Amino acid sequence: MNITSSSHMYSRLLLTGAAGGLGQVLRPRLKTRCDVLRVSDLSNLGEAADGEELRPAALQDRPAVMQLLQGVDAVVHLGGISTEQPFDDIVQANIIGAYNLYEAARIHGTRRIVFASSNHVTGFYRQDEVIDANQPVRPDGYYGLSKAFGENLARFYFDRYGIETVALRIGSSFPEPKDRRMLATWMSYDDLERLVVASLSSPVVGYSVIYGMSDNHHVWWDNTPAKHIGYRPQDSSEPFRAAAEARQPILDLNDPAVIYQGGGFVKAGPF
Ligand code: NAI
Ligand code: 15L
């Protein structure tokens, strides 16, 4: 990690989904950006480090989420279901959970939320198209629909109550691209941190949407409308190209997972 450190941006920052894949990556990194990092999840959060507060909570539990936001200046909201699942499960975590979070933020005067949306909000665009965040959503499943709801909810809470949100349409943030699709969608963990820090620290964001990807050679998303966020990716999927192509030497051009940006999500289910 090689990021210029700045003085603390927020007094108390809440990280939801702190026990998940990206939560575990961001937890120690965000601690350097605030006085107190409050971490929350359904799953085991381990021990509190210096300057951390542990607050286990289910996002669909409204009173618990109301308490969770007390005294919080800003939120990095990663919590929720992160793959295609039955609608009834997704509703609880991603739709009711997102409503509970924004409503609690309104009541407690939280200033800004960085919302982990997903590329699956636009997963039914084709891999031979380049889109930007001003184009209509085309969710590729119940998960993508729930993230589209989260984005609309965030826009409403900005228009109506002035709570700022940066919605991150994250591509694929893993240690390395797992397949050829991810050569376009991949975002390194260091770039993820850069994106989240830029979203927290950019002076005026209103309601903004930005795709979360590294500086990859072949891309489907144009982040020009989000230049004001000041995100400058420094990594690329290119060093992983040979390995990804060796793992997947043939692409079936009739496979919906190859035709559409959402990859395998476009054909997940029905459950
Ligand atoms: P993850 O599934 O590893 O972590 C999500 C966390 O949320 C888990 O620790 C889980 O226990 C928690 N959670 C689930 N339901 C909950 C509930 N009802 N109440 C409280 N906590 C709950 O996912 P990951 O990969 O860390 O992703 C983090 C966020 O970023 C998710 O919102 C995901 O949709 C989004 N995202 C991630 C991408 C990636 O490449 N990793 C790509 C696009 C979006
Ligand atoms: C997502 O939204 C998922 O949370 C993640 O697990 C990946 O599958 C990613 O999208 C992707 O599109 O690769």
Side-chain angles (χ1 to χ4, degrees):
M1 184 176 49
N2 182 21
I3 295 167
T4 314
S5 93
S6 60
S7 58
H8 289 181
M9 293 181 290
Y10 296 99
S11 173
R12 182 177 282 104
L13 183 64
L14 168 65
L15 175 65
T16 70
L22 301 188
Q24 290 180 53
V25 169
L26 288 177
R27 182 172 167 177
R29 301 182 188 213
L30 289 179
K31 181 60 208 71
T32 66
R33 306 285 173 169
C34 55
D35 299 327
V36 176
L37 182 67
R38 181 173 290 175
V39 293
S40 185
D41 205 296
L42 268 181
S43 303
N44 185 4
L45 289 159
E47 299 292 312
D50 264 3
E52 279 189 350
E53 296 174 342
L54 268 46
R55 294 283 187 281
L59 289 161
Q60 59 271 37
D61 180 342
R62 193 161 299 161
V65 174
M66 195 56 68
Q67 277 189 1
L68 189 59
L69 271 284
Q70 192 162 22
V72 166
D73 304 306
V75 183
V76 177
H77 180 45
L78 305 182
I81 291 180
S82 63
T83 54
E84 185 64 352
Q85 299 292 334
F87 182 70
D88 288 341
D89 298 336
I90 285 183
V91 153
Q92 293 298 321
N94 293 14
I95 293 188
I96 296 174
Y99 167 77
N100 289 343
L101 185 94
Y102 273 86
E103 191 53 14
R106 177 184 73 77
I107 285 167
H108 291 298
T110 302
R111 287 147 50 199
R112 187 175 293 187
I113 297 177
V114 177
F115 167 56
S117 183
S118 171
N119 72 89
H120 295 287
V121 163
T122 50
F124 263 123
Y125 284 94
R126 296 171 56 95
Q127 295 192 8
D128 55 12
E129 290 177 281
V130 176
I131 59 170
D132 69 31
N134 291 326
Q135 279 167 260
V137 300
R138 294 179 74 174
D140 60 22
Y142 300 124
Y143 167 66
L145 279 163
S146 75
K147 294 293 188 181
F149 172 83
E151 291 188 0
N152 277 333
L153 181 81
R155 166 157 254 160
F156 167 70
Y157 271 84
F158 175 66
D159 289 342
R160 180 72 176 81
Y161 303 113
I163 299 173
E164 292 196 303
T165 288
V166 183
L168 312 180
R169 288 186 183 166
I170 301 171
S172 310
S173 194
F174 297 105
E176 60 181 70
K178 295 177 183 171
D179 55 24
R180 287 175 65 167
R181 169 180 170 271
M182 289 192 190
L183 294 172
T185 61
W186 186 66
M187 177 164 59
S188 71
Y189 288 156
D190 285 351
D191 280 342
L192 169 72
E193 178 186 2
R194 292 182 183 100
L195 177 58
V196 170
V197 169
S199 302
L200 286 169
S201 59
S202 183
V204 181
V205 298
Y207 171 73
S208 298
V209 179
I210 184 166
Y211 283 90
M213 58 185 165
S214 282
D215 186 16
N216 303 328
H217 281 204
H218 302 270
V219 292
W220 308 320
W221 309 319
D222 175 2
N223 268 335
T224 305
K227 272 184 179 275
H228 58 283
I229 303 294
Y231 169 54
R232 297 275 182 280
Q234 292 178 27
D235 297 321
S236 163
S237 62
E238 214 50 27
F240 301 100
R241 174 170 297 279
E245 290 181 351
R247 274 198 301 271
Q248 197 184 0
I250 295 168
L251 287 182
D252 174 0
L253 299 181
N254 295 313
D255 181 352
V258 174
I259 296 172
Y260 297 108
Q261 296 184 3
F265 279 59
V266 306
K267 54 183 192 180
F271 294 98

